[in-house]
Amino acid sequence: MTSPALDLSAVLPPPRLAQLARDWLAEDVPQFDPAGACVGSREVTATLLCKSPGSVLAGTPFFAAVFAELGCRVEWLFPEGASLGSEQVTQVARVRGPARCVLLGERSALNALARASGIATRCRHLLDITSTAGWKGTLAGTRKTTPGFRIVEKYAMLVGGVATHRSDLSGMVMLKDNHVWACGSVTRAVRDARAVCGFSSKIEVECGSEEEGREAALAGADIVMLDNFKPQALHAAARSLKQQFPLLLIEASGGVTPDSLPQFLSPTVDVISLGCITQGCPVVDFSLKVPRPPGAGPSAPRDGLLPHTNGATSPGDRGSSPSNDIITTLSSPMSRRDFAF
């Protein structure tokens, strides 16, 4: 698990962040933004709200990059990686800028933040399971990521405290069953891969049996993945391989879920990779809201949704801020209808 003081956003190259933001905005508004003409360029302050209690905040650099492209400013009330507590609605940040720009960037920014926070939250939950069990190994993600969104999802793993595993095919050599079958044998596959990658890359072999794991280790593999093993068979194979190859890393993978994870924990299993970190992972419920003018009810004109002032308040002045009015309204039975976009 990474140090709380480590600035993980420093791993993200600024040009890559800016390019992602431009691509997302181009996807969402490839031509005109007719709604932008309705709201204009008057300065507004929108409040970012989290409505998923107990979530981990992740993805703030991507959220901020979208609004930076639009000339807006983001003020965070929580740091990256923070637990957002147990409140039903939590103020997380404020976004200031021209109304049309704030609303133009809303969906792209929320998509990245919701996805990253959902992954980080699941990672934190998985780590709590292993910590309770006293396991000293490493949890890792996989390459089962959303096309075009991998950097967001891998970054979220870091925020959540798990290892990213390899980020792409160039990061480490992994010889899966298809590679072995196409090549002819585990031994030949490892030999040929080593001839290409040299000393600078580790080689991992996906193995469906203890015998394949032994062949991979004898051929010079650095890591053996015991794939789709039942827990009892996994522990027996890992123990046997560790006795013969003490420096060999053993990874377990395949079919591991948050519910079944405790069954796979063992002193002889070094790494457990889980596709469920990204696949089927719930997102965190965020929304970005511009405050309604005082006294405006559900029947107010549509242009009355925008404030008559910029709504700027200091972080400590939550009692009188427009964003506090949003919290009050969201708690009412009419909350969903009041704030539908």
Side-chain angles (χ1 to χ4, degrees), residues 2 15 27 29 41 44 51 94 98 109 137 175 177 179 191 198 201 219 231 239 273-274 288 301 306 310-312 316:
T2 56
E27 177 185 54
V29 58
S41 297
V44 298
K51 295 173 282 184
R94 298 192 182 101
L175 301 172
D177 52 7
H179 294 96
R191 182 197 65 199
S201 294
R239 185 166 51 250
S273 54
L274 302 94
L288 188 67
L306 289 176
N310 65 9

Side-chain angles (χ1 to χ4, degrees), residues 36-44 97-101 306:
C38 303
V39 298
S41 297
R42 181 161 37 85
E43 184 87 357
V44 298
R100 67 184 184 89
C101 294
L306 289 176

Side-chain angles (χ1 to χ4, degrees), residues 20 57 66 123 172 184 196 216 269 306 318:
L20 279 169
L57 178 64
V66 170
C123 290
M172 180 180 71
V196 175
V269 174
L306 289 176
R318 298 189 186 182

Side-chain angles (χ1 to χ4, degrees), residues 9-328:
S9 67
V11 306
L12 299 168
R16 179 73 173 121
L17 271 177
Q19 185 61 55
L20 279 169
R22 285 193 290 268
D23 289 345
W24 294 335
L25 290 168
E27 177 185 54
D28 207 31
V29 58
Q31 298 185 49
F32 293 136
D33 174 25
C38 303
V39 298
S41 297
R42 181 161 37 85
E43 184 87 357
V44 298
T45 298
T47 302
L48 176 67
L49 305 172
C50 176
K51 295 173 282 184
S52 298
S55 299
V56 174
L57 178 64
T60 60
F62 304 101
F63 184 94
V66 170
F67 285 111
E69 284 296 310
L70 297 167
C72 301
R73 307 172 303 284
V74 181
E75 174 194 1
W76 293 101
L77 306 180
F78 290 88
E80 184 83 319
S83 173
L84 297 180
S86 59
E87 297 293 328
Q88 288 300 309
V89 181
T90 301
Q91 298 183 44
V92 179
R94 298 192 182 101
V95 180
R96 296 183 174 92
R100 67 184 184 89
C101 294
V102 171
L103 300 183
L104 190 152
E106 174 193 9
R107 178 44 52 198
S108 297
L110 288 177
N111 284 349
L113 194 70
R115 179 67 172 150
S117 296
I119 290 171
T121 300
R122 171 157 288 184
C123 290
R124 194 74 57 84
H125 172 60
L126 294 169
L127 283 177
D128 287 343
I129 293 173
T130 61
S131 177
T132 299
W135 186 61
K136 304 301 182 184
T138 299
L139 290 180
T142 68
R143 280 172 46 248
K144 297 174 182 177
T145 54
T146 308
F149 226 59
R150 180 173 294 174
I151 190 171
V152 176
E153 297 174 357
K154 289 287 189 177
Y155 172 79
M157 294 177 199
L158 290 179
V159 176
V162 310
T164 63
H165 213 296
R166 58 176 183 163
S167 292
D168 49 55
L169 292 175
S170 301
M172 180 180 71
V173 179
M174 182 185 289
L175 301 172
K176 301 176 75 67
D177 52 7
N178 285 328
H179 294 96
V180 172
W181 296 339
C183 188
S185 71
V186 169
T187 300
R188 181 178 174 184
V190 173
R191 182 197 65 199
D192 290 352
R194 182 63 70 193
V196 175
C197 71
F199 70 91
S200 61
S201 294
K202 289 184 177 181
I203 295 177
E204 178 170 10
V205 181
E206 178 186 278
C207 301
S209 68
E210 180 182 332
E211 291 71 26
E212 285 185 348
R214 185 168 287 106
E215 182 182 356
L218 288 170
D222 303 287
I223 308 168
V224 163
M225 175 195 286
L226 300 178
D227 191 42
N228 288 312
F229 277 59
K230 299 296 184 183
Q232 186 175 355
L234 167 72
H235 300 319
R239 185 166 51 250
S240 175
L241 290 170
K242 280 287 192 179
Q243 288 174 348
Q244 187 174 356
F245 308 99
L247 299 181
L248 182 69
L249 286 177
I250 303 292
E251 176 180 343
S253 188
V256 186
T257 68
D259 290 336
S260 67
L261 176 59
Q263 302 174 47
F264 289 85
L265 305 179
S266 164
T268 53
V269 174
D270 303 294
V271 180
I272 299 178
S273 54
L274 302 94
C276 68
I277 286 177
T278 49
Q279 291 192 320
C281 181
V283 299
V284 171
D285 186 4
F286 287 103
S287 60
L288 188 67
K289 297 302 177 187
V290 174
R292 188 184 298 274
S299 60
R302 297 301 297 176
D303 59 2
L305 286 173
L306 289 176
H308 297 300
T309 65
N310 65 9
T313 58
S314 65
D317 185 23
R318 298 189 186 182
S320 60
S321 69
S323 54
N324 193 64
D325 296 334
I326 291 174
I327 299 293
T328 302

